[in-house]
Amino acid sequence: MQLRRVAQANLPTPWGDFTIVGFEEIKTGHDHVALVYGDIASHQPVLARIHSECLTGDALFSLRCDCGFQLEAALQKIAENGSGVLLYHRQEGRNIGLLNKIRAYALQDKGADTVEANEMLGFAPDQRDFTLCADMFELLGVHEVKLLTNNPEKVHVLTDAGINIVERIPGIVGKNPNNEHYLETKAKKMGHIL
């Protein structure tokens, strides 16, 4: 187990009242959160999304990606379902950090795609560690999920970690002229199912 559960509190949102649960990485002290809606203990499998932190998309309304749209759509689906979990995986920019993400954006402005930009900065196309998410599910008592994702890597990592993915539910939202190339690159180079 790489995480410990630290705290929880009520979190009212436009989609309903969630419980926010805070986790801390034991080795690094980095934090992650889960937004839990309804009674997940009696609902197996649980409708769930792993949402990796994207300050530009989630909070600053960037149209360069589909992240903010995915976040809102997932919270709405979970609330409409009556229960579910959104794991907010705090590994910004596919885990290269915010400042390197801005550097990657600058390279994209000059013609690189999202994968090429990360590689030009000396990073892998995706450096996220989804095993942390398996630990969050475990600490929440969630063992079976219907996963809201377009990313098959999340399915593989969670399955290997013992989380039973009974269904993968795609989420195609927020496509616009500013992110068409980004989404095409994720599909062609990273295997996302769009």
Side-chain angles (χ1 to χ4, degrees), residues 60-128:
L60 302 177
F61 315 106
S62 171
L63 297 177
R64 292 183 81 125
C65 62
D66 60 340
C67 301
F69 300 103
Q70 290 278 2
L71 177 61
E72 289 189 24
L75 291 172
Q76 182 174 342
K77 283 180 185 175
I78 288 168
E80 288 172 354
N81 186 62
S83 67
V85 176
L86 183 132
L87 301 184
Y88 198 79
H89 184 225
R90 298 206 52 224
Q91 294 190 343
E92 177 76 48
R94 294 192 211 110
N95 207 19
I96 66 171
L98 180 59
L99 297 181
N100 282 321
K101 178 178 169 179
I102 295 169
R103 289 180 182 104
Y105 278 177
L107 292 170
Q108 291 170 44
D109 290 343
K110 295 177 183 172
D113 66 33
T114 183
V115 168
E116 293 165 347
N118 276 22
E119 291 173 340
M120 291 166 75
L121 292 171
F123 298 108
D126 192 339
Q127 300 197 154
R128 291 174 291 181

Side-chain angles (χ1 to χ4, degrees), residues 121-143:
L121 292 171
F123 298 108
D126 192 339
Q127 300 197 154
R128 291 174 291 181
D129 179 3
F130 295 118
T131 62
L132 295 167
C133 300
D135 285 354
M136 281 190 267
F137 279 134
E138 185 70 30
L139 289 167
L140 291 169
V142 173
H143 305 287

Side-chain angles (χ1 to χ4, degrees), residues 5-190:
R5 188 171 171 162
V6 176
Q8 73 178 51
N10 294 327
L11 186 73
T13 75
W15 303 277
D17 294 341
F18 286 77
T19 298
I20 185 168
V21 181
F23 302 90
E24 182 179 56
E25 291 181 40
I26 295 167
K27 287 185 180 177
T28 66
H30 295 154
D31 50 53
H32 306 272
V33 298
L35 299 181
V36 178
Y37 190 83
D39 179 10
I40 60 171
S42 63
H43 292 89
Q44 296 286 338
V46 173
L47 182 63
R49 173 164 173 78
I50 295 170
H51 187 85
S52 294
E53 181 176 40
C54 176
L55 178 73
T56 51
D58 298 344
L60 302 177
F61 315 106
S62 171
L63 297 177
R64 292 183 81 125
C65 62
D66 60 340
C67 301
F69 300 103
Q70 290 278 2
L71 177 61
E72 289 189 24
L75 291 172
Q76 182 174 342
K77 283 180 185 175
I78 288 168
E80 288 172 354
N81 186 62
S83 67
V85 176
L86 183 132
L87 301 184
Y88 198 79
H89 184 225
R90 298 206 52 224
Q91 294 190 343
E92 177 76 48
R94 294 192 211 110
N95 207 19
I96 66 171
L98 180 59
L99 297 181
N100 282 321
K101 178 178 169 179
I102 295 169
R103 289 180 182 104
Y105 278 177
L107 292 170
Q108 291 170 44
D109 290 343
K110 295 177 183 172
D113 66 33
T114 183
V115 168
E116 293 165 347
N118 276 22
E119 291 173 340
M120 291 166 75
L121 292 171
F123 298 108
D126 192 339
Q127 300 197 154
R128 291 174 291 181
D129 179 3
F130 295 118
T131 62
L132 295 167
C133 300
D135 285 354
M136 281 190 267
F137 279 134
E138 185 70 30
L139 289 167
L140 291 169
V142 173
H143 305 287
E144 287 190 330
V145 298
K146 294 187 279 185
L147 193 63
L148 295 160
T149 189
N150 300 325
N151 185 346
E153 182 64 18
K154 291 178 184 177
V155 174
H156 297 309
V157 171
L158 292 177
T159 300
D160 288 348
I163 304 296
N164 183 19
I165 310 298
V166 300
E167 183 179 0
R168 184 193 67 80
I169 302 168
I172 312 300
V173 294
K175 187 173 182 179
N176 67 75
N178 296 289
N179 68 18
E180 282 179 324
H181 184 61
Y182 167 80
L183 295 174
E184 288 170 9
T185 301
K186 288 203 315 184
K188 289 177 185 172
K189 291 189 173 182
M190 302 179 77

